[in-house]
Amino acid sequence: MLRRRFFSKPYESSRVLVVGGGFAGTAVCKRLQSSFNTTLLTNETYFEFSPSILRATVEPEHFQHIQISYADLLDDTSVVTGLALDIDPVRKQVATTVGAVPYDYLVVCTGSSSRPPHACRNAIPAYDGANLQPSYAQLMDVNCASVVIIGGGVVGVELAAELLETFPTKRVSIITSAETLLTRSPPGVVRYCLRFLEQFSDRFALYLNCKVKSVKGNVYETTNGDQVVGDMAYFCTGIQPNVSVFRSHFEDSIKVGGWVSVRPSLQLDTIVENSSVVFVAGDLIDVHEEKLAQTAQAHASVVASNIMRLEATRRSRRSRASGQLVEYRTTLRPMLISMGKYEGVLVWGSLFFTGLIPSLMKEFVEWKETNGF
């Protein structure tokens, strides 16, 4: 708040509207709030450190450590709680459930979500605390003896490890359409994670190369004919980008799979009027890379730099260099996979390191992001 009292913002008359309060959105606000009139539009009142939500699923008290009020996180950004409905590029405003919000620069970081298919409609999407936090009561129910996990990627494997380690009497089954777990990971990582899960062989089952065909009561029938018992289920696959806000005026930017096409500067790739001030960051952009928190933050850095450059150019035509926009370039980034509370894997391309240290590294990253994001 001291910044507000003693320092004026160089671009205070210019409005930056950020839609979505995940890693990308909050990082953009952090970088620009000292220079612009910055507003965050989000449907939550708190930022959530999503890499730790699976740990919090089995230790619900941990949610209080990974959910931080935007009021505490962003000390010079106005926060509007509501849903974005549509972008009007002509009027430069976003229609929301709480009214229209104007902008001079717009950054869309609406992320992705998981929508279980009809056959798995009762499964709990395992991608945010709002869905996972209430599931603890079901896990603690004495009648819940078995859990089905649909999806064998990082989320499904991490959740299986947490459940097997925390609940010593529950049976956990993973159903995946792939030929193996963690299909985008090196073979050594797959073997390590599988060995961890198979130490609970009396309670763990893996069903490969199949999907859920139907659900009758607590029995999940697979396309291979397996009958898998699950008193509750988690859906851990098939994320879809949240692009509804683009459909009215920017349909040409939505590509196959629902991803949003962007220029190297992370500006929306379209010929629609005033699109040069519309940026996109986070999970929903059409860039082939792992959808990681650190990737979203890298997007945010490029977006913030380019907004600063565009504004500097607009205010001073004498400086052509200020208008040269930064280009986002994908790069290999490390990834941490938790296997229960005390084991994990650090993966960096084809290299990996296992054991306690990666687990401690993930705890450090959580502490760093939630205390000094």
Side-chain angles (χ1 to χ4, degrees), residues 359-370:
S359 176
L360 295 176
M361 290 174 67
K362 189 164 185 177
E363 287 192 16
F364 172 75
V365 172
E366 176 192 311
W367 174 86
K368 174 179 174 292
E369 298 294 340
T370 55

Side-chain angles (χ1 to χ4, degrees), residues 23 291-299 328 332-336:
F23 283 96
K291 306 300 184 182
L292 304 173
Q294 57 190 302
T295 305
Q297 291 173 334
H299 298 169
Y328 175 71
L332 197 61
R333 301 183 191 279
M335 178 171 61
L336 290 164

Side-chain angles (χ1 to χ4, degrees), residues 17 19 41 80 82-89 91-103 106 244-245 248-249:
L17 174 59
V19 180
L41 174 67
V80 176
L83 289 172
L85 303 175
D86 186 34
I87 302 169
D88 185 338
R91 292 186 174 89
K92 288 190 176 181
Q93 64 183 27
V94 174
T96 80
T97 52
V98 292
V101 183
Y103 66 83
L106 175 64
S244 60
V245 73
S248 294
H249 297 92

Side-chain angles (χ1 to χ4, degrees), residues 197-209:
L197 297 173
E198 287 179 338
Q199 68 179 307
F200 305 96
S201 57
D202 58 326
R203 299 187 288 116
F204 173 68
L206 176 61
Y207 299 87
L208 300 171
N209 297 305

Side-chain angles (χ1 to χ4, degrees), residues 41-78:
L41 174 67
T42 173
N43 61 337
E44 299 287 355
T45 59
Y46 57 83
F47 166 80
E48 182 171 76
F49 183 75
S50 53
S52 292
I53 59 174
L54 301 178
R55 160 73 6 203
T57 301
V58 299
E59 288 185 2
E61 63 276 8
H62 195 61
F63 275 110
Q64 65 182 317
H65 300 294
I66 64 172
Q67 294 175 341
I68 308 163
S69 166
Y70 289 118
D72 295 329
L73 186 66
L74 302 170
D75 59 2
D76 212 354
T77 293
S78 299

Side-chain angles (χ1 to χ4, degrees), residues 255-296:
K255 301 305 179 184
V256 176
W259 309 106
V260 178
S261 181
V262 292
R263 299 168 187 165
S265 58
L266 299 187
Q267 291 164 302
L268 188 64
D269 188 13
T270 179
I271 59 173
V272 174
E273 182 180 2
N274 294 327
S275 61
S276 63
V277 298
V278 180
F279 292 82
V280 189
D283 284 1
L284 73 167
I285 68 172
D286 186 27
V287 175
H288 185 67
E289 60 186 358
E290 290 289 342
K291 306 300 184 182
L292 304 173
Q294 57 190 302
T295 305

Side-chain angles (χ1 to χ4, degrees), residues 70 169 195 202 216 249 253 284 292 329 331 364 373:
Y70 289 118
T169 62
R195 281 198 303 269
D202 58 326
K216 297 179 180 178
H249 297 92
S253 296
L284 73 167
L292 304 173
R329 301 184 186 280
T331 186
F364 172 75
F373 180 84

